[in-house]
Amino acid sequence: MSHPPRTHRDRRALWRSPLRGPWLTSVLGLILLFGLPVLFVTGLLSYAAYNPDLSPVNDQTPDKGLLGFYLFSWPTNPSWLYRVNQGVHVTLGIVLVPVLLAKLWSVIPKLFTWPPVRSVGHGLERLSLLALVGGGLFEFATGVLNVQLDYIFPGSFYPLHFYGAWIFMAALVVHVALRFPVMVRALRGRDLRAELRTRAPDTKPEPPDETGLVSPRPAAPTMSRRGALGMVGTGSFALLVVTAGQSIGGPLRETAVLAPRGRNPGSGPNGFQINKTAMAVGLRARDIGPDWRLVVRGATGRETVLTREQLLRLPRHGAALPIACVEGWSTSDQRWDGVRLADLAALVGHADRPPTVLVESVQRHGSFRRVVLSEVQVRDSRSLLALRVNGADLSPDHGYPARVIVPGAPGVHNTKWVGRLTFGNFEETA
């Protein structure tokens, strides 16, 4: 262990950039130290919005155990809460990609230190580094793939991303605890303004120290540290420009060129973003044709069956609500028109305190065909079984003949092509 093979002895000298050193690594690490906790918290909030403790129907990670200690009943106010949370989560995650890659570039010589483990503390640091690098790459890669709707990873995105986030953050906490004093010393050791004024010809390597990041044989500089940070910042800003519009909406939506939902969805009352088309989920014409019926059942066994014409004759209400998806895209407020969920609950004996409801779609395959909405969501006066949008009938791709729209809920909980509502006691069907 004290005499590495000759092929490894000078391997660290292969990394000859004069920019590498504890200062540049610490600057990049400081940016991530502010950004990664925001990603983690907004990710946990996104998972809470699915109300996984409400029902096994909603729970995408049934083996979470203590990791679900923070879960709470997701509120309906403000109605834009999930839209903002998920927009921040996805946009910030993509913006931090250049920073993460630059940070990994700056510490790559550490992968070739010898001996691999020098002490218990060093071994703990190396282990945390393995979980940190692997977990970080995994989380960012699965997140970007999910945004791009490219599900090439094995298994479901939700448990993979959820458990991966906890592993990554645990490793980050250990790593920060071990390296924070080194980062503080490095940041204090060089003046930021002076570094930002230094041109490439005047850039000097940092003095060698115990971090092992400084090359023993640095090459001549081809870029200043100012240029390196500027390149990373430019990359992050460019990703912000081509991503943020999918959640901000308005004219900026046209700038979201890398977002699958950034394309123009058409014009007219139904001209807003669509997650799944009727064809994609295998809907047949007869599933949503004249023979379609809505079955509404209560906890006492009372049941009513309604045609769409009968629904249109019930008292109708309007609500201006957005749709926000886990992939980061969202719509502006659309004007929905339909029957309140609370009024449908009253038809089957739940007039006073409407309970939870199991919503089931007539779609033939695909995820989230069924979802459970909480009492708070059902009782909100803006929670509708929508029949029309922006003054026109729903299009088939937007859920015709009827869809659920709930303030503040994730897009997949605004179930389309609803065929059955079961209020209260639905365990036997869940």
Side-chain angles (χ1 to χ4, degrees):
M1 294 292 288
S2 61
H3 300 285
R6 183 176 299 275
T7 55
H8 292 278
R9 186 169 295 167
D10 298 323
R11 189 71 59 86
R12 190 168 61 87
L14 295 176
W15 312 103
R16 302 187 60 196
S17 172
L19 303 185
R20 282 195 182 92
W23 184 83
L24 181 62
T25 296
S26 297
V27 170
L28 297 170
L30 185 63
I31 297 171
L32 292 174
L33 192 57
F34 280 99
L36 292 177
V38 175
L39 279 183
F40 183 61
V41 170
T42 52
L44 294 184
L45 290 176
S46 177
Y47 180 65
Y50 284 75
N51 282 320
D53 275 350
L54 187 61
S55 166
V57 175
N58 291 10
D59 197 353
Q60 300 296 310
T61 56
D63 299 323
K64 61 185 177 296
L66 294 177
L67 298 182
F69 73 92
Y70 73 95
L71 294 174
F72 57 95
S73 181
W74 191 251
T76 56
N77 284 307
S79 62
W80 42 259
L81 179 60
Y82 187 77
R83 181 185 184 188
V84 171
N85 181 86
Q86 204 60 20
V88 169
H89 182 73
V90 171
T91 303
L92 179 60
I94 292 176
V95 165
L96 287 180
V97 167
V99 184
L100 177 70
L101 295 178
K103 177 67 161 57
L104 293 177
W105 171 86
S106 74
V107 299
I108 198 170
K110 297 285 285 182
L111 301 178
F112 298 93
T113 57
W114 196 274
V117 178
R118 297 191 297 266
S119 64
V120 174
H122 184 246
L124 181 61
E125 179 188 349
R126 298 284 283 179
L127 185 61
S128 71
L129 190 62
L130 176 64
L132 184 68
V133 174
L137 291 175
F138 178 83
E139 284 298 287
F140 276 83
T142 54
V144 171
L145 288 171
N146 181 66
V147 170
Q148 294 299 322
L149 310 176
D150 195 359
Y151 303 111
I152 61 174
F153 39 82
S156 171
F157 166 76
Y158 298 94
L160 289 174
H161 206 63
F162 179 77
Y163 295 129
W166 279 104
I167 294 172
F168 175 56
M169 286 306 297
L172 180 64
V173 169
V174 173
H175 186 72
V176 169
L178 292 171
R179 304 301 295 176
F180 190 76
V182 176
M183 183 181 76
V184 172
R185 287 197 303 270
L187 292 173
R188 289 177 174 176
R190 301 180 80 87
D191 183 70
L192 176 61
R193 287 177 294 181
E195 288 292 341
L196 295 180
R197 289 194 298 265
T198 302
R199 301 176 304 159
D202 301 323
T203 298
K204 304 298 182 184
E206 295 186 47
D209 68 352
E210 73 279 2
T211 64
L213 296 176
V214 180
S215 174
R217 296 202 304 267
T222 58
M223 178 183 290
S224 66
R225 293 183 181 88
R226 174 183 64 185
L229 292 174
M231 182 174 64
V232 173
T234 300
S236 291
F237 180 75
L239 289 175
L240 174 67
V241 170
V242 298
T243 302
Q246 68 170 343
S247 57
I248 296 175
L252 290 178
R253 189 174 300 281
E254 296 182 4
T255 68
V257 296
L258 296 184
R261 306 309 178 189
R263 297 188 296 269
N264 185 356
S267 59
N270 282 272
F272 54 96
Q273 281 61 40
I274 295 169
N275 192 352
K276 298 177 182 177
T277 65
M279 180 180 297
V281 299
L283 279 183
R284 301 164 299 183
R286 63 176 178 271
D287 293 329
I288 56 175
D291 293 334
W292 173 88
R293 297 292 184 271
L294 174 70
V295 179
V296 185
R297 186 178 178 85
T300 61
R302 185 173 173 182
E303 182 177 290
T304 185
V305 179
L306 300 166
T307 64
R308 193 170 190 278
E309 289 70 24
Q310 290 172 322
L311 283 169
L312 287 168
R313 289 196 292 269
L314 293 176
R316 304 220 307 272
H317 302 270
L321 298 171
I323 297 176
C325 189
V326 68
E327 293 137 11
W329 65 265
S330 59
T331 72
S332 57
D333 285 354
Q334 309 297 319
R335 185 68 188 180
W336 305 92
D337 176 85
V339 182
R340 287 174 175 167
L341 294 181
D343 292 343
L344 292 170
L347 293 179
V348 289
H350 299 290
D352 295 331
R353 295 182 61 83
T356 58
V357 61
L358 171 67
V359 183
E360 298 178 86
S361 174
V362 300
Q363 72 180 78
R364 303 183 62 78
H365 58 78
S367 56
F368 297 102
R369 298 187 299 272
R370 307 159 77 235
V371 68
V372 175
L373 301 177
S374 69
E375 296 176 356
V376 172
Q377 291 172 316
V378 172
R379 294 170 186 173
D380 193 295
S381 61
R382 297 165 296 174
S383 296
L384 305 175
L385 182 71
L387 306 171
R388 295 169 59 84
V389 64
N390 299 323
D393 287 343
L394 296 169
S395 68
D397 287 341
H398 277 301
Y400 180 90
R403 70 170 297 163
V404 163
I405 187 74
V406 175
V412 290
H413 281 196
N414 293 315
T415 309
K416 297 192 286 189
W417 314 294
V418 175
R420 179 182 291 270
L421 298 172
T422 306
F423 291 93
N425 184 23
F426 53 78
E427 285 78 4
E428 68 278 3
T429 62

